[in-house]
Amino acid sequence: MKTTFQNITGTFDILPDTYDADGTAVPSAAAWQHVEATVRDVMARFHAQEIRTPILEPTELVARGVGMLTDIVSKEMFAFERGDVHYVLRPEVTAPVMRAYLQHRLDQRGGVQRLYYIGPCFRAERPQKGRYRQFHQFGAELIGAEDARADAEVIALMLAVYRAFGLEAVTLRLNTLGDAGSRPRYKEALQAYFAPYTADLSETSRRRLQTNPLRLLDTKDEKERRLLDGAPVLLDFIDPESRAHYETLKGLLDDLGIAYVEDPFLVRGLDYYTRTAFELESPDLGAQSALAGGGRYDLLACELGSDEPVPAVGFAAGIERLFIALAAQGTALPGPAPPDAFLVALGDEAARYVFRLAQELRAAGLRVAFDLKGRSMKAQMREANRQNAPYTVIIGQDELAARRAQVKAMDTGMQAGVAFDDLAAYLKGPVPART
Ligand code: HAM
């Protein structure tokens, strides 16, 4: 047999039914819809409004926004050119949202913009469980407020989504990165601290020490982690205003009863953050432990051409990782929805009538399925069962003559004769109980 095309490694199809892809369950399309609907519901409670930006963005936007030295920009972009235009498949949505905010002068809508999104992102990472090349994020961006309450609200919103799924066993890690001046001072201090240990560092870490020393803070190498114990801590290099902002934020989280762990080494893999940075972890994710992450990015607007900073804070979450955490806690997710009725035809004439009846019932608002392969009655009944239809509507020569169908409630096996003209009303009514 010829082999047919396969999807690209690190991407996956979402099918009507759940299936297994390399040892990880890919949930059904209905499960994805359920997750998206729950996210939308929580977003609406925070009065966040949806924004949809293109999958394709100018490469320069991502390079400037996310940062030239980040892994995302230096190694993981799916970028290409057409004529003079440089395109990138968006690796994240914060920079595109800020682009849209500036481009469309969304500040003129007044007040704070609470925006949310759900959609695919693309990063050329090494695929593994919880890490894909096409993955899906939901997230929210609060644009226009400097107040630490905006930071606290974004964190509360993020946690509210996980709570809506019954996921409580999560850890919020929190840090402050200070203002634009704090990090250069800290980077110098880190470089000075590590200089005598250069020989002990891996080649990657040696390179990072020169280009982006903050990246050393999330090293996985045991020896390097031990060195970190004595390393300077970012908090000691932070400007007083950022420190005050951080203290206020912690107080607000305490007010809301939100537990957090302060992590002075949390720096995040994107360059646009100032002040607040946070990550949400789940013990169920293994190596890819981050369910979601975010922070404040008041200077991103300037990178994108604005004369003025635009205070903003947001988070984004991986939907695939949410599914992994849900599976670990045994949460049942919906499968394909059954039709309200499955129409069974006996003979050609009945099949022709059933074809017309199906459209009439659908026009009346019912979900209706039927056979298109001319199969036997037994095969049609089997199909109705497989689809979990609560009713089958059986029509043969006798029923055509009497203009009455045999309606069988699949659960109880009870059968009733129902006039063709009354079918829609009958099928919409309650399934009769066993007597
Ligand atoms: P991020 O930490 O790069 O932040 O991504 C957010 C979340 O997306 C991660 O915590 C993870 O759940 C998921 N994710 C990232 N990469 C992958 C991947 N390759 N496969 C599967 N899931 C992945 C951002 O994207 C920022 N835009 C967050 C933000 C919003 N900051 C401010 N506003």
Side-chain angles (χ1 to χ4, degrees), residues 72 76 91-95 117 121-125 128 130-141 154 162 268-270 272-273 278-280 285 288-297 313-322:
I72 294 178
E76 297 168 359
E92 58 101 50
V93 198
T94 307
Y117 47 82
C121 295
F122 304 83
R123 297 183 192 176
E125 298 193 84
Q128 54 184 277
R131 187 195 275 174
Y132 308 94
R133 296 193 149 186
Q134 173 169 345
F135 59 100
H136 300 78
Q137 282 191 345
F138 61 86
E141 313 292 348
V154 159
Y162 291 95
R268 311 261 307 122
L270 305 99
Y272 47 58
Y273 294 113
F278 57 85
E279 246 167 41
L280 193 69
L285 291 181
Q288 308 303 319
S289 60
L291 280 172
R296 180 166 275 284
Y297 52 94
V313 54
F315 82 94
I319 300 186
E320 291 77 5
R321 295 189 190 176
L322 167 63

Side-chain angles (χ1 to χ4, degrees), residues 92-132:
E92 58 101 50
V93 198
T94 307
V97 167
M98 184 52 86
R99 174 197 55 68
Y101 177 91
L102 296 170
Q103 180 178 338
H104 302 287
R105 297 294 321 264
L106 294 184
D107 59 314
Q108 292 184 344
R109 299 179 80 221
V112 173
Q113 302 306 309
R114 291 176 168 82
L115 303 170
Y116 86 88
Y117 47 82
I118 306 179
C121 295
F122 304 83
R123 297 183 192 176
E125 298 193 84
R126 198 166 51 78
Q128 54 184 277
K129 185 170 178 166
R131 187 195 275 174
Y132 308 94

